[in-house]
Amino acid sequence: MNKKLYLCQFNMEKRRHILAIINPVSGTGHKEKIPRLLDTVIDHDLNDVSIVMSEYAGHAHEIAEMAVAEGIDIVVAIGGDGTVNEVGSALCGTDTALAIVPCGSGNGLARHLRISMNASRALQVLNNGVVGQFDYCTVNKRPFFCTCGMGFDATVSNKFANEGTRGFITYIKTALSEYLKYKPQEYFIDIDGKKMHEKAFVIACCNAAQYGNNAFIAPRATMQDGLIDITVMSPFSVAHCPIIGARLFLRQLGHDHHVSIYRGKRIVIERRHDDVMHVDGDPVMMPARLVLENVSKGIKIMVPPTLPDDV
């Protein structure tokens, strides 16, 4: 077991109560098979399992809040990073653990935690996994678990959310079309008292290492160090796009001279005006002044029994 993983133990003498929340509209995956898999994969000698479908934006959060009030042991978020955010934000600071079955477009948090993209194997974690205590972060008190950001990636996220189709290819097409017309913005940044002024193409604030689809925006970020990694990307030419893209997927973005990566526990970012940003991939209109903080070991998450040191 990874020595860095802070573990919580369930009382295995009593049956565990599991609530699975399925978002039927997230991502590109087919979820019709999930109820059957829950019935066949989960060890029913150890667990009582209930299933509920979310019906509208914010519904998964409401369901998870009720689960906490009812003393449910584990709530399973079945969907993308947005669904995970809805569920996880209701579980912060409670004894109820989050589990994830990734069915979204990017699945950044699940990939970071080495949870399988295969639904059956992801559900198997409920039988043989462990519960670890992990950091989460907030932006203006709003929780995020993977990344949040502003600039070009927020613009793309906002555009992508309104596309008729989802998936990685659609995201890349959207990014390419937006790149040609995007203008970098000015930011005033305070990282634990250290102040800087940047004209940036992207500012990504990260609890985990990647956006999703193994695109590593903060290659050294971990969820147990009590810090936020902040990646500041300055403007670059069209000719440099393939290099940036390659480094993003090869986990070498920090080697690029257009990129600076900082770390801090409390970060304040001020923009010229209110604007869109993304929070765990979902676009949100936010004020010009943003306060980001790390909440150390603030959420319990069920993960595979062995994890590498970079989690």
Side-chain angles (χ1 to χ4, degrees), residues 66-120:
M66 289 188 288
V68 170
E70 293 171 5
I72 297 295
D73 296 302
I74 304 167
V75 179
V76 189
I78 302 173
D81 284 322
T83 304
V84 172
N85 183 284
E86 278 197 37
V87 174
S89 60
L91 308 184
C92 294
T94 76
D95 288 328
T96 301
L98 169 69
I100 303 169
V101 176
C103 297
S105 301
N107 305 307
L109 187 62
R111 291 178 191 273
H112 180 90
L113 294 171
R114 308 306 197 270
I115 295 169
S116 175
M117 297 299 104
N118 176 276
S120 180

Side-chain angles (χ1 to χ4, degrees), residues 21-38 51-54 77-81 83 101-105 107 119 123 166:
I21 302 175
I22 302 175
N23 181 349
V25 298
S26 66
T28 58
H30 298 291
K31 304 176 192 69
E32 297 87 352
K33 65 179 181 180
I34 297 295
R36 178 179 58 81
L37 287 174
L38 282 161
I51 305 170
V52 64
M53 297 279 185
S54 63
I78 302 173
D81 284 322
T83 304
V101 176
C103 297
S105 301
N107 305 307
L123 285 169
R166 305 287 282 177

Side-chain angles (χ1 to χ4, degrees), residues 30-247:
H30 298 291
K31 304 176 192 69
E32 297 87 352
K33 65 179 181 180
I34 297 295
R36 178 179 58 81
L37 287 174
L38 282 161
D39 186 52
T40 57
V41 173
I42 302 303
D43 185 343
H44 294 279
D45 290 333
L46 298 176
N47 307 298
D48 291 321
V49 183
S50 301
I51 305 170
V52 64
M53 297 279 185
S54 63
E55 298 176 2
Y56 49 83
H59 192 205
H61 182 89
E62 296 170 8
I63 298 166
E65 283 186 321
M66 289 188 288
V68 170
E70 293 171 5
I72 297 295
D73 296 302
I74 304 167
V75 179
V76 189
I78 302 173
D81 284 322
T83 304
V84 172
N85 183 284
E86 278 197 37
V87 174
S89 60
L91 308 184
C92 294
T94 76
D95 288 328
T96 301
L98 169 69
I100 303 169
V101 176
C103 297
S105 301
N107 305 307
L109 187 62
R111 291 178 191 273
H112 180 90
L113 294 171
R114 308 306 197 270
I115 295 169
S116 175
M117 297 299 104
N118 176 276
S120 180
R121 288 195 288 272
L123 285 169
Q124 188 64 41
V125 173
L126 291 165
N127 295 329
N128 60 16
V130 296
V131 174
Q133 292 181 295
F134 293 92
D135 303 345
Y136 71 93
C137 302
T138 60
V139 53
N140 290 7
K141 305 299 182 181
R142 178 177 182 141
F144 67 95
F145 304 94
C146 200
T147 65
C148 76
M150 60 218 74
F152 176 71
D153 60 348
T155 299
V156 173
S157 176
N158 192 37
K159 180 74 173 178
F160 180 65
N162 296 307
E163 294 289 349
T165 57
R166 305 287 282 177
F168 182 66
I169 299 301
T170 301
Y171 186 89
I172 293 298
K173 288 180 179 178
T174 303
L176 290 173
S177 67
E178 291 300 313
Y179 175 84
L180 298 175
K181 52 190 176 185
Y182 183 76
K183 295 181 179 179
Q185 307 294 315
E186 282 189 295
Y187 302 91
F188 298 88
I189 307 170
D190 182 322
I191 304 174
D192 293 336
K194 179 181 178 181
K195 295 178 171 57
M196 61 187 75
H197 174 214
E198 298 279 354
K199 186 173 184 180
F201 182 71
V202 165
I203 295 183
C205 302
C206 309
N207 185 42
Q210 61 168 290
Y211 283 139
N213 288 307
N214 294 320
F216 290 92
I217 187 64
R220 295 174 57 211
T222 79
M223 293 178 64
Q224 293 193 316
D225 62 359
L227 300 171
I228 305 169
D229 284 41
I230 176 168
T231 298
V232 179
M233 187 181 299
S234 61
F236 52 88
S237 67
V238 174
H240 199 69
C241 284
I243 298 173
I244 288 283
R247 286 176 170 159

Side-chain angles (χ1 to χ4, degrees), residues 292-310:
L292 299 107
E293 297 178 294
N294 179 285
V295 182
S296 180
K297 313 297 182 291
I299 185 167
K300 298 177 179 180
I301 305 178
M302 198 155 203
V303 293
T306 58
L307 289 175
D309 288 343
D310 61 357

